[in-house]
Amino acid sequence: DIQMTQSPSSVSASVGDRVTITCRASQGISGWLAWYQQKPGKAPKLLIYAASSLQSGVPSRFSGRGSGTDFTLSISSLQPEDFATYYCQVANSFPITFGQGTRLEIK
Amino acid sequence: QVQLVQSGAEVKKPGASVKVSCKASGYTFTSYYIHWVRQAPGQGLEWMGIINPSGDTTTYAQKFQGRVTMTRDTSTSTVYMELSSLRSEDTAVYYCARDRISLTSRPNYFDYWGQGTLVTVSS
């Protein structure tokens, strides 16, 4: 199984800040990676697929980069609605695995 | 619009089975694979398996092999996930999620999700 390790596990930031979350795969996955946002009591929401493609309707302040084993999700200017938990997900092999999550909190 | 609507919360005793439904609408049901993902309280996301609503083929995570069964009913555009031999560790919210790309088993990105079904296992 491919293990996905996210860092940090939690981060505090202020509205307007730029934040970057990292996801590392235990083996190369090319660009087959997705990022999700989850708010309490809600289902996850797809933000980024294929490592860097923005899902329809997602604000352009979200961006993804990476290939192989190292990936990042960046939020360029944090908005109040961005405070949530973020997960990465490997997309090209079974079992599908997720990172453990990064909780983004208001400073 | 695409919607996945799941059945309501369940409370089960250890050793029992639970069957959760996921009714799809707003798209061609047989054109997109459906996955099941669960989330224990305060924990992360765990993939359980995938079903092809067209051919009724399935792939399950090894952890759930022998305990999980995913089926579909094309007449009602509904997918089902049944988990047997329940234990307390199965207490979780269970989600169905649709593949973003039609008629392909890889890669798998989940663009639409059900609202989740809380399954509580307690004696």
Side-chain angles (χ1 to χ4, degrees):
Chain A
D1 299 2
I2 299 175
Q3 306 303 316
M4 308 299 289
T5 303
Q6 286 181 234
S7 61
S9 56
S10 66
V11 57
S12 296
S14 301
V15 172
D17 284 354
R18 178 182 179 85
V19 168
T20 297
I21 298 167
T22 297
C23 181
R24 174 164 289 175
S26 60
Q27 62 190 75
I29 60 170
S30 186
W32 303 116
L33 184 100
W35 289 96
Y36 298 86
Q37 176 194 68
Q38 187 179 33
K39 296 182 179 179
K42 299 295 186 182
K45 173 187 175 182
L46 178 64
L47 300 174
I48 301 286
Y49 64 94
S52 59
S53 297
L54 197 66
Q55 172 69 357
S56 176
V58 174
S60 59
R61 62 180 180 273
F62 290 92
S63 63
R65 297 187 64 178
S67 182
T69 61
D70 294 316
F71 301 86
T72 59
L73 171 71
S74 294
I75 312 171
S76 61
S77 178
L78 279 170
Q79 299 301 302
E81 61 267 29
D82 299 336
F83 292 94
T85 300
Y86 294 84
Y87 294 93
C88 61
Q89 173 232 323
V90 63
N92 70 325
S93 69
F94 294 154
I96 291 169
T97 53
F98 294 86
Q100 79 278 17
T102 294
R103 185 175 178 181
L104 176 54
E105 301 173 317
I106 300 174
K107 184 182 288 184
Chain B
Q1 71 283 21
V2 174
Q3 280 193 303
L4 300 175
V5 178
Q6 298 183 221
S7 49
E10 303 261 13
V11 179
K12 296 292 182 180
K13 293 192 181 302
S17 297
V18 68
K19 192 170 186 177
V20 180
S21 67
C22 171
K23 182 173 177 58
S25 62
Y27 71 97
T28 303
F29 175 68
T30 51
S31 293
Y32 293 82
Y33 289 69
I34 294 287
H35 300 252
W36 289 89
V37 176
R38 77 177 187 179
Q39 187 171 37
Q43 302 301 308
L45 302 167
E46 182 175 32
W47 181 78
M48 300 179 69
I50 178 176
I51 181 168
N52 175 358
S54 177
D56 203 26
T57 53
T58 55
T59 300
Y60 303 135
Q62 187 168 10
K63 174 177 179 176
F64 301 102
Q65 286 276 3
R67 283 210 304 144
V68 70
T69 304
M70 296 176 189
T71 57
R72 96 298 192 223
D73 181 344
T74 55
S75 68
T76 60
S77 300
T78 302
V79 171
Y80 300 91
M81 186 283 299
E82 184 171 19
L83 188 63
S84 62
S85 302
L86 290 169
R87 34 210 188 228
S88 59
E89 309 89 88
D90 295 317
T91 294
V93 175
Y94 290 76
Y95 294 103
C96 59
R98 194 191 80 160
D99 254 341
R100 183 182 175 277
I101 305 170
S102 69
L103 296 176
T104 178
S105 61
R106 314 282 176 89
N108 306 110
Y109 306 114
F110 310 139
D111 62 349
Y112 288 94
W113 295 66
Q115 81 276 20
T117 297
L118 175 62
V119 175
T120 302
V121 183
S122 174
S123 55

